Amino acid sequence: MLESSTHQSIWNPCFFEQGGLFELFLPWAEWILRYSEAFPPLSAINALMASSPVAPVRSGGGFPVQCVRQQRLGRSQRGELGWWGDYQLRIFFSGEVPTRPAHWHDFFNAWTWVHFPKVKAALNLRHFQCNEESQPFPWRRMSGNRNREQDFLTLFDEGGLIVVTDDDSLWQSICERDWREFFQNRRSSLGRDIAFYPVGHALYECALHGHPSIHASAIRVKMKPAPFVLGAGEFNLENLARIDEQAALVLSQRTLLRSPDDLHALPIWGLPGWHARAADPEFLSDSTYFR
């Protein structure tokens, strides 16, 4: 279970230097380091989203996405506001993402729109479809409970990991949670035949503060992986765009991915370069990290 950190407002512009999990931020390192004293303002993040090199950042309803300051609303107020009071429906119909400034959780959520705009749009569209099927117009939420499909969408949005591989045996090891086979016996394959792209903003937040028991919620994109870091200052953003597109197509299959049971738990600290002890075979016996 991923939980929001209590260290919300302590800004560290060098967070991406941890590597591994934060590798996707490297192409924007210079931009991030401009903000040495405090979180980037929402206006700067919106300008960045407007120029994403991956794909146009649009909601599931086709509206340009921008972060807006989150307002505190009670449940009764949200109900009276109809779609505008629902987080996902507001994004769908207006492109407005309610965001808490100077907050790691929401900061990483905004960045996920930059890294994976089509994935985020696909998730947002499915949230709209779930609401349309379960609630009468104007989509006033009658209960705080989500259905199984909405649970799936939320879990992936918060803790999602895209696993890119055309090696069926590697993916099978993940499905069977055979971590000895995956992390130790096949370790030489992990940097060559399979790649990992974090989507979940809570995944980033928990990793930033070193929570040991993080397990990502993984889906597979069946294609041959390509390196993201090409060289000094060069990054494979074209391949990132292809992964974003293919993952969005996978997530659009409502009949195949419909329940939290369709996600595969993966303990991220065993991945190469994501933890100082990752190459130590004894690390796999530490139940704090591998449940």
Side-chain angles (χ1 to χ4, degrees):
M1 183 70 177
L2 291 168
E3 298 179 356
S4 181
S5 169
T6 58
H7 307 286
Q8 295 152 344
S9 59
I10 303 174
W11 172 242
N12 171 19
C14 301
F15 70 91
F16 57 86
E17 293 180 357
Q18 297 178 50
L21 182 71
F22 298 96
E23 188 176 70
L24 290 183
F25 290 90
L26 293 176
W28 291 274
E30 184 178 346
W31 186 94
I32 295 169
L33 289 172
R34 294 178 197 167
Y35 301 94
S36 58
E37 301 298 328
F39 281 85
L42 298 187
S43 59
I45 294 174
N46 288 336
L48 185 71
M49 285 198 291
S51 61
S52 170
V54 178
V57 184
R58 300 285 186 268
S59 74
F63 292 90
V65 168
Q66 60 175 338
C67 297
V68 297
R69 183 179 290 270
Q70 179 174 303
Q71 297 174 299
R72 289 186 178 275
L73 298 172
R75 180 173 294 181
S76 61
Q77 289 177 293
R78 291 197 300 270
E80 289 301 316
L81 289 169
W83 65 262
W84 196 89
D86 182 281
Y87 178 81
Q88 291 289 344
L89 290 180
R90 182 176 176 184
I91 296 171
F92 182 86
F93 283 114
S94 70
E96 294 181 349
V97 180
T99 303
R100 293 165 291 188
H103 195 289
W104 280 112
H105 190 83
D106 290 10
F107 172 80
F108 286 128
N109 182 51
W111 271 98
T112 305
W113 281 99
V114 175
H115 292 152
F116 297 103
K118 292 186 177 181
V119 164
K120 293 286 279 187
L123 294 172
N124 183 231
L125 173 60
R126 284 188 60 174
H127 272 292
F128 164 74
Q129 291 168 332
C130 287
N131 276 278
E132 189 176 40
E133 292 167 0
S134 63
Q135 300 176 46
F137 179 85
W139 303 287
R140 289 190 175 93
R141 185 175 294 280
M142 307 304 293
S143 167
N145 296 327
R146 297 187 294 254
N147 62 32
R148 294 290 283 171
E149 183 174 3
Q150 289 168 315
D151 284 341
F152 160 82
L153 296 170
T154 301
L155 282 171
F156 187 77
D157 196 31
E158 295 279 350
L161 182 74
I162 300 169
V163 177
V164 179
T165 183
D166 58 358
D167 188 318
D168 292 337
S169 63
L170 280 170
W171 178 245
Q172 190 63 30
S173 295
I174 293 175
C175 296
E176 296 175 355
R177 302 186 185 186
D178 188 349
W179 306 134
R180 188 69 60 181
E181 171 68 15
F182 185 74
F183 288 120
Q184 184 171 317
N185 298 343
R186 298 294 304 276
R187 191 158 195 84
S188 62
S189 299
L190 299 188
R192 181 184 67 238
D193 302 319
I194 190 168
F196 309 91
Y197 291 85
V199 172
H201 48 286
L203 186 68
Y204 278 123
E205 184 191 18
C206 291
L208 182 71
H209 301 298
H211 294 289
S213 58
I214 309 172
H215 283 58
S217 299
I219 64 166
R220 180 190 186 185
V221 168
K222 192 171 183 178
M223 58 185 280
K224 188 175 182 61
F228 178 67
V229 180
L230 299 176
E234 295 185 31
F235 303 93
N236 198 343
L237 295 178
E238 290 184 3
N239 189 61
L240 183 62
R242 284 193 292 271
I243 292 167
D244 178 41
E245 181 174 32
Q246 291 303 309
L249 290 173
V250 170
L251 288 164
S252 297
Q253 301 177 60
R254 295 183 71 191
T255 56
L256 297 179
L257 297 173
R258 199 170 180 86
S259 159
D261 297 334
D262 298 323
L263 293 167
H264 298 277
L266 196 156
I268 66 167
W269 296 127
L271 299 175
W274 289 24
H275 193 280
R277 295 176 59 199
D280 180 3
E282 295 303 315
F283 187 41
L284 296 176
S285 301
D286 190 333
S287 60
T288 305
Y289 293 88
F290 300 90
R291 292 177 290 174

